[in-house]
Amino acid sequence: MTLQSRIAEKLDQAFAPERLDVIDESHLHAGHQPDMTGTGETHMRVRIVSESFAGMSRVARHRAINDLLKPELDAGLHALAVEPSAPGEPTRW
């Protein structure tokens, strides 16, 4: 199972999103550091719309996702961009 699919599965189970995209952006970061080749799953973007985020601040939403994905971050995920929304809120995507 890929890191991308593990992240999607965890988010799906924890937040029951009505919309979810987990995007591997690793290729966009090739050369940013000597060991960043653009291969592997080092940079992920999460776009998620879930009722679970209703009434939560932006910081609380980010913390909830970061807490859930802490094992992946500790295991080598270098960067995680998070775009969480509640249903009915505008998104840029």
Side-chain angles (χ1 to χ4, degrees), residues 17-35:
E18 65 180 46
R19 208 164 126 199
L20 175 63
D21 290 313
V22 179
I23 304 158
D24 184 352
E25 297 183 336
S26 303
H27 65 283
L28 300 173
H29 300 275
H32 287 188
Q33 292 181 351
D35 60 337

Side-chain angles (χ1 to χ4, degrees), residues 1-70:
M1 177 182 279
T2 66
L3 177 60
Q4 185 175 13
S5 60
R6 275 198 323 269
I7 289 172
E9 185 175 292
K10 281 186 156 187
L11 292 167
D12 194 47
Q13 290 175 359
F15 300 110
E18 65 180 46
R19 208 164 126 199
L20 175 63
D21 290 313
V22 179
I23 304 158
D24 184 352
E25 297 183 336
S26 303
H27 65 283
L28 300 173
H29 300 275
H32 287 188
Q33 292 181 351
D35 60 337
M36 293 286 166
T37 63
T39 61
E41 294 177 299
T42 58
H43 294 71
M44 295 288 175
R45 178 171 302 275
V46 170
R47 294 176 170 164
I48 183 170
V49 177
S50 173
E51 184 64 39
S52 300
F53 299 132
M56 291 175 75
S57 71
R58 182 176 164 171
V59 170
R61 294 171 184 186
H62 280 255
R63 283 185 181 149
I65 292 169
N66 285 333
D67 288 348
L68 179 70
L69 299 180
K70 186 176 183 334

